[in-house]
Amino acid sequence: MVILAIALTPILFVAAIQAYVDGKQSLEIRRSDLLGIADRAIDEVEQELITSESMLKIFSEQIAAGRCSDVQSWLTPEMPSLINVAFFDENGVSQCTASGETGFTIYDQAWNEALKNGQVFLRTDSFMGKGAKESMFAIFYRMEYRGEYVGAAGFGMAAEDLADMLSGVEKSAQNQVDLALADDNLAVFGDELPVALQKEWVETAHAEDGGHLFIVSDEVGKSWDVVLNRVGPGDLYAVAVRQSPGLFDEVTLRPAVMIGLPLLSFSIALASAWFAVDELVLKWLLRLRRLAYTYGRGEYDARPDQDFQMAPEEISSLALAMDRMSERIGKRDHDLKAAVSERDAALKEIHHRVKNNLQIVTSFLNLQSRRVTDPESRAAINSTRLRIDALSVVHQTLYQHDDLDIVHLGTFFEHLLGHLSNALGLDELDVDLTYDIEDLPLRADDAIPLALFVLEAITNSTKYAFVEDGGEIHVLLKEQDQGLLLAIRDNGSGAESDTAKVSGTGLGSKLMSAFERQLNGKMEVSTAPGEGYEVRLFVPHRTS
């Protein structure tokens, strides 16, 4: 018996080592297998989030301009998980939304503070927004004007729709896997998981790169393998759950060394092959993909030299080719930016010279007006001078700002109305010119007819509204119903009919109707004897 025990001891020892190694290898294989499934499952989700960030940056100006509904209608066919588009100002108050009413505050002010402090993109945990019927994740993009934070454009992504993208992974009867998305708050979307997530699992997955395997038993004693893998830079995780083979298959000794050793050898060979593929191909392809995303964000200075020194020659050559490509694209991007800068400088100089030339024309008209004795002729010359002055203010506003295609109406109308007040001599006529102007962006091509419309309306009120006692003219400009509402109102003597002062044969009346058509707007007039006169012009936002 002693001799038999001595003879069996090495065999039992080898078998024990075999079982231990097999158990460890089994855990690693299960982890790698589940992690591979999770990685393949989140590719579409991660691409959807990356695409969302790109689209958010591209359409941020339209969103800030109040075109949230338009942006959502454009992007929904390509981004089915998109359920809302919104813009929040620097205080976190919504100014534009594709669904519901504006004026609500951002769900978590900490998000707004993070963006205010310099974070460019922010991915949130799941939440139920105001009036929302389903949970969502949000992606925000920080927006600046002259280096100052002015607010954030945001996309709302349906949590369940993102989770549905995980279903692209094939499931067989022998390899049934439950897939879901989860966030830091343990909210789960997708398949109903047989076990509850634990906070320490999420913390471990957040700290470790590459996913982690957890083994847990449910209430009826079944054992489950759970893998959590982080999706991108946010706090979103892919969860893969599959029933574990149990403790017996992991650590029990094999009954026969002759059977166990070949199985152990096979397991080691399989793990080595997986390790070789992972080390030689998969991890380098992942790094190449991340490098491509980096170049896609315009960070052409990123160099792959250090990261790919130990890579296989073929992958290292591909990384070097991508590096050279990024250098060329970066140089071309720099040249294009320089060309745009030169173009902008030239356009500013053109606007400056046009403004100066218009002022010279105005000076000529002033000289000519002094030589004319006929009152009607002098009035016609003065009216022409005022119209040219309005054009001069437009060009002055354009070359004084960085954006050469957009006029900011607050500053623009402040200069224009102040100039008109002096030119028309409203102080001498005891007429107060007041205004309430929202500082909205408008294309320069639309600002010119809008300014001339205001000029004709104020000139009209100055001529006909007041007798001797003076009065008040008030200008209102605000955003309303997907467009701009312009209203010029006086408290003068009024007229007999609503169309009395806009359907006449005078040049001013014809010009106002022409500007209405040019802006594709709708003009309305209200007046009555003794109740003053008001003209309103609604200008819809242009769709292109």
Side-chain angles (χ1 to χ4, degrees), residues 260-494:
L261 287 178
L263 290 176
L264 176 61
S265 300
F266 177 76
S267 299
I268 293 175
L270 183 61
S272 298
W274 179 269
F275 179 78
V277 171
D278 184 63
E279 285 293 314
L280 296 178
V281 181
L282 296 180
K283 78 173 186 179
W284 301 111
L285 290 179
L286 181 59
R287 291 186 181 182
L288 283 174
R289 186 175 71 173
R290 290 173 180 170
L291 184 64
Y293 288 157
T294 300
Y295 292 152
R297 293 194 298 268
E299 300 174 12
Y300 304 118
D301 294 334
R303 299 274 78 86
D305 303 340
Q306 299 296 326
D307 290 340
F308 290 88
Q309 281 185 347
M310 303 301 295
E313 182 179 354
E314 294 81 358
I315 293 181
S316 179
S317 299
L318 180 58
L320 181 60
M322 292 178 63
D323 183 31
R324 292 173 179 170
M325 177 192 69
S326 71
E327 288 183 357
R328 293 176 183 147
I329 295 177
K331 183 179 183 303
R332 185 165 56 186
D333 187 60
H334 178 271
D335 293 342
L336 288 174
K337 288 179 179 178
V340 171
S341 179
E342 291 178 3
R343 183 211 67 172
D344 290 347
L347 285 176
K348 284 187 177 183
E349 180 62 23
I350 290 172
H351 285 301
H352 192 189
R353 294 190 179 187
V354 170
K355 189 266 294 185
N356 290 341
N357 290 338
L358 290 174
Q359 287 183 337
I360 292 174
V361 173
T362 301
S363 299
F364 288 160
L365 291 174
N366 284 336
L367 293 174
Q368 188 65 39
S369 176
R370 295 171 185 169
R371 299 172 61 88
V372 173
T373 58
D374 180 54
E376 291 187 3
S377 299
R378 178 174 292 182
I381 292 175
N382 288 336
S383 296
T384 302
R385 177 176 57 83
L386 288 175
R387 291 163 184 144
I388 294 175
D389 281 344
L391 295 175
S392 176
V393 171
V394 174
H395 288 284
Q396 179 178 354
T397 303
L398 287 174
Y399 79 72
Q400 286 179 342
H401 292 83
D402 293 333
D403 195 338
L404 300 175
D405 298 322
I406 298 296
V407 172
H408 293 276
L409 298 181
T411 304
F412 170 63
F413 271 103
E414 183 178 351
H415 293 166
L416 176 65
L417 296 178
H419 181 79
L420 286 178
S421 179
N422 293 331
L424 293 172
L426 297 185
D427 289 341
E428 290 80 2
L429 297 174
D430 199 19
V431 175
D432 292 330
L433 178 58
T434 61
Y435 53 86
D436 183 7
I437 306 293
E438 289 188 12
D439 194 14
L440 303 171
L442 188 66
R443 297 192 327 167
D445 291 343
D446 292 334
I448 293 175
L450 191 68
L452 294 176
F453 186 93
V454 172
L455 166 66
E456 299 300 335
I458 292 177
T459 303
N460 197 33
S461 290
T462 304
K463 287 182 179 179
Y464 304 112
F466 310 109
V467 183
E468 295 180 355
D469 298 335
E472 179 182 354
I473 301 174
H474 183 74
V475 180
L476 171 68
L477 179 65
K478 65 178 183 179
E479 190 167 23
Q480 184 182 65
D481 298 332
Q482 303 299 317
L484 301 179
L485 175 64
L486 172 68
I488 299 96
R489 182 182 70 252
D490 65 53
N491 61 351
S493 56

Side-chain angles (χ1 to χ4, degrees), residues 171-192:
K171 304 176 183 179
S172 67
Q174 296 79 21
N175 193 26
Q176 185 66 35
V177 178
D178 293 312
L179 294 168
L181 289 178
D183 63 14
D184 267 359
N185 298 320
L186 306 183
V188 178
F189 307 94
D191 290 346
E192 183 176 356

Side-chain angles (χ1 to χ4, degrees), residues 78 89 110 175 337 375 502 514 524:
E78 302 299 329
D89 63 19
N175 193 26
K337 288 179 179 178
V502 294
E524 297 178 352

